[in-house]
Amino acid sequence: INENTMCCIGVKSLTFLVLVAACLVGFHYVIDNPANWVFDPIRLQELSKKAITKAGPNATSDVIVQAVIKEVTGAYPKYAFSTGEWMFNNAGGAMGSMTVLHSSFSEYLIIFGTALGTEGHTGRFMADDYFTIIDGEQWAQPADSQAKEIYRPGDQHHLVRGEAKQYRMPDNCWALEYARGNIPSMLFFGFGDGLFSTFDFVSLAQTVKASAGYMFHNLMIGKI
């Protein structure tokens, strides 16, 4: 191969990489747009508190979870619904169960928790994450802090985009988790443990099926 051919291949490769980068940047700005957001974190917190109150002080986690799902799907009937399907979720070293209530390119809404306790890395995302505790406690710690943050039922833990924390659910704990921003960019974190650690391809398949199903549904009704 002569120098001209090598130069031509190099220019074409560089052009291809530039086009890919431009497409990714464009895709990010299209989906990470407030105009695409239909959920309000403040309202989700209020709905969670309402459900907790309705469930009563002696309610089990299952009763509280179902009460929250009822309130949220009732408040957002067009965009949030429950299939009743639960699956394991391993991410950042933590493990729990989740059920999906909404998934689109710009937002997701799930119930996540564990009856046993778990601990791990929150992830660092191009999205804001709002973690409203509905039962139990969550603890968190930023890297530059020597004190733990404690979140109890009704509290909302806002993980600001670009930031990360260590977190722990010391025992039974359940939450309504809402994220908005560049949701596809979060998939690398969400699938990493399943692909390279647990090798739980059944749970991965369930997660892909649920997420893709909701995304397709929302695209069909014009929701990005």
Side-chain angles (χ1 to χ4, degrees), residues 87-93 98 100 103 125 183-212 215:
M87 62 210 74
F88 281 129
N89 176 261
N90 291 83
M98 74 171 184
V100 181
S103 179
F125 308 117
I183 301 304
S185 69
M186 303 175 76
L187 297 179
F188 299 101
F189 175 79
F191 292 157
D193 280 13
L195 290 172
F196 302 109
S197 176
T198 66
F199 303 109
D200 183 1
F201 299 113
V202 172
S203 293
L204 280 175
Q206 290 174 323
T207 302
V208 170
K209 177 185 175 184
S211 300
M215 285 183 172

Side-chain angles (χ1 to χ4, degrees), residues 88-142:
F88 281 129
N89 176 261
N90 291 83
M95 180 176 182
S97 299
M98 74 171 184
T99 186
V100 181
L101 303 179
H102 174 91
S103 179
S104 60
F105 287 104
S106 59
E107 298 174 289
Y108 80 67
L109 185 66
I110 65 173
I111 299 287
F112 173 81
T114 172
L116 306 177
T118 192
E119 180 178 8
H121 191 291
T122 59
R124 195 184 298 271
F125 308 117
M126 290 188 287
D128 286 281
D129 189 273
Y130 301 86
F131 205 75
T132 305
I133 307 301
I134 59 176
D135 194 26
E137 282 188 3
Q138 184 202 39
W139 302 346
Q141 177 205 328

Side-chain angles (χ1 to χ4, degrees), residues 134-158:
I134 59 176
D135 194 26
E137 282 188 3
Q138 184 202 39
W139 302 346
Q141 177 205 328
D144 61 353
S145 174
Q146 287 71 53
K148 68 181 177 184
E149 303 168 357
I150 302 176
Y151 300 91
R152 299 184 174 92
D155 294 340
Q156 188 175 82
H157 180 188
H158 178 199

